[in-house]
Amino acid sequence: MTIPINYIKLHKLNMRLKEPFTTSFGTLQDKEFFITEAADDRDNRGYGESVAFTSPWYSEESVKTNLHMMEDFLIPILKENEIKHPEEVSTLFSPIKRNNMAKSALEGAIWDLYAKRENLPLAKALGGINKEVDVGISIGIQPLEDFLKTIDYYVQEGYKRIKIKIKPGFDVDVLREVRKHFPDTPMMADANSAYTLDDIEHLKQLDDLNLMMIEQPLSHDDIVDHAKLQEVMHTPICLDESIHSLEDPRKAIELGSCKVINIKIGRVGGITESKRIHDLWKEHGIDVWCGGMLEAGVGRAHNIALTTLTQFTMPGDTAGSSRYWEKDIIKPEVTVKNGVISVPDHPGIGYELDEEALANYIVEEKKFDFY
Ligand code: OSB
Ligand code: MG
């Protein structure tokens, strides 16, 4: 049976992070994004979330390009085609090149709508079985005075691993100091593409620190140089920015560019492609974990549902709502106990939109009627 879409709404939100978040390419405090809403003939509503930032520092997409793609290309495609199952959406979108975060924002709403119509938790609709998911914490670059205290706070909270953002000038020495204070805490580093092969000797010093992995040390679009680096480093390399589709990890496996990847639903164009990548890595017995993009509640809920698939064997970046926001947009908020999130068992994403909170953050709305 087709999923009869009555309308799609785009709610543009502006939310302020509790604390600024600094990576190798800059600091972020205000997050603009879209909550997408797809409604059917029975007034079921499915929700998605866009993850591009205001400016294109992480990838080429931005809040404005997401809107452009959704309203000028992707929503018209949904309007013109019948959809029986959300897995068809990525194929329908495939004539539009890249723009994965725009695609994913809409595909996510359709997955949620589908699961609600089937009266299934999204996790179940995806074939996930884990009832709990393990989470770690990603800690931004900060003045050294605060740094150890911040880490200690999250370790006490029970997060299963700490990920530390690094950049040239804030790397080996800092990590060494952290390791001294936290000798047994599972720990990793994320460079967000801040280095080149000229830094090989410098990066090799990380091998002494017993890191779970180093995430995206080299260029955002590279899988060749990463293979060269992996050859001379013991620390597993994890690719983030470089993986956009199922084709990329296939090539990365062939080249030996990494030993781990994180999956970000937005980066790869949606849940369906995320599942395909998960299945490929499962076939190869390689660990996968779920990355984060400082999502609000809806995106967080999608990440939690995806993480219930069995090959998500390492803690994800899907921390609790309170790590990011004074007030999240979902009820209940996502809470982490002992480093674990209990997967909700309500239909769809499993959390309600907090309409009151949402209203405070909305800066613009657009509605696209399908009839
Ligand atoms: O590289 O994983 C990243 C946040 C924004 C953009 C890129 C990244 C991150 C994080 C934080 O590391 C993940 C999160 O807590 O959502
Ligand atoms: Mg990363």
Side-chain angles (χ1 to χ4, degrees), residues 47 99 131 216 225 227 240 242 257 309 351-352:
Y47 296 99
N99 290 286
K131 297 279 177 250
Q216 198 74 32
D225 285 356
D240 173 357
S242 297
S257 318
L309 299 177
Y351 300 85
E352 299 270 320

Side-chain angles (χ1 to χ4, degrees), residues 21 23 25 28 31 51 53 57-58 136-140 163 165 190-192 215-216 240-241 262 264 267 289-295 300 303 316-319 323-324:
F21 188 80
T23 68
F25 32 68
L28 198 131
K31 205 179 175 223
V51 298
F53 301 106
W57 51 258
Y58 170 83
I137 188 88
S138 173
I139 300 175
K163 161 168 142 181
K165 294 289 191 181
D190 185 358
N192 289 109
E215 191 176 329
Q216 198 74 32
D240 173 357
E241 281 90 330
N262 78 38
K264 290 182 180 172
R267 195 192 64 222
W289 56 279
C290 185
M293 291 288 280
L294 309 172
E295 287 91 345
R300 196 161 303 285
N303 288 343
D317 268 349
T318 305
R323 182 257 180 277
Y324 308 89

Side-chain angles (χ1 to χ4, degrees), residues 118-269:
E118 300 291 318
N119 209 20
L120 278 176
L122 180 59
K124 263 229 175 83
L126 300 178
I129 55 172
N130 301 336
K131 297 279 177 250
E132 296 184 326
V133 304
D134 288 349
V135 288
I137 188 88
S138 173
I139 300 175
I141 294 166
Q142 327 179 350
L144 271 177
E145 310 85 86
D146 311 335
F147 203 55
L148 293 171
K149 251 193 256 163
T150 306
I151 296 171
D152 190 51
Y153 173 81
Y154 290 115
V155 171
Q156 297 303 328
E157 287 256 293
Y159 282 96
K160 300 248 173 182
R161 59 106 175 103
I162 50 175
K163 161 168 142 181
I164 293 167
K165 294 289 191 181
I166 57 170
K167 64 174 184 181
F170 189 96
D171 50 24
V172 179
D173 294 342
V174 175
L175 291 172
R176 209 174 265 142
E177 190 64 19
V178 175
R179 191 36 109 203
K180 221 165 62 194
H181 284 81
F182 303 91
D184 304 317
T185 304
M187 181 168 125
M188 58 181 284
D190 185 358
N192 289 109
S193 22
Y195 300 90
T196 70
L197 283 183
D198 291 343
D199 302 309
I200 282 194
E201 288 312 310
H202 183 68
L203 291 171
K204 273 166 75 174
Q205 298 176 79
L206 298 176
D207 275 342
D208 300 333
L209 295 174
N210 186 26
L211 300 180
M212 294 170 79
M213 66 193 95
I214 174 169
E215 191 176 329
Q216 198 74 32
L218 308 177
S219 178
H220 70 96
D221 56 359
D222 169 77
I223 54 171
V224 174
D225 285 356
H226 279 99
K228 289 186 186 150
L229 181 62
Q230 185 66 89
E231 210 172 287
V232 298
M233 276 188 86
H234 301 298
T235 309
I237 291 177
C238 169
L239 291 178
D240 173 357
E241 281 90 330
S242 297
I243 304 293
H244 301 278
S245 67
L246 183 63
E247 275 299 282
D248 291 331
R250 179 181 70 74
K251 292 169 187 163
I253 292 171
E254 215 170 295
L255 290 173
S257 318
C258 62
K259 293 184 178 160
V260 186
I261 54 165
N262 78 38
I263 297 179
K264 290 182 180 172
I265 300 172
R267 195 192 64 222
V268 304

Side-chain angles (χ1 to χ4, degrees), residues 340-351:
V340 164
I341 295 171
S342 303
V343 179
D345 53 11
H346 302 293
I349 57 172
Y351 300 85

Side-chain angles (χ1 to χ4, degrees), residues 31-87:
K31 205 179 175 223
E32 281 185 287
F33 59 97
F34 296 96
I35 292 297
T36 58
E37 174 184 339
D40 71 0
D41 53 344
R42 299 181 227 149
D43 207 32
N44 289 303
R45 292 172 200 189
Y47 296 99
E49 182 173 324
S50 67
V51 298
F53 301 106
T54 305
S55 64
W57 51 258
Y58 170 83
S59 75
E60 72 284 6
E61 292 185 83
S62 70
V63 173
K64 271 195 186 169
T65 69
N66 280 183
L67 178 62
H68 169 45
M69 288 299 142
M70 289 193 287
E71 69 179 348
D72 294 337
F73 299 105
L74 302 173
I75 292 174
I77 289 175
L78 295 177
K79 215 166 155 170
E80 284 156 22
N81 290 277
E82 293 208 329
I83 299 160
K84 293 198 181 61
H85 191 280
E87 281 181 355

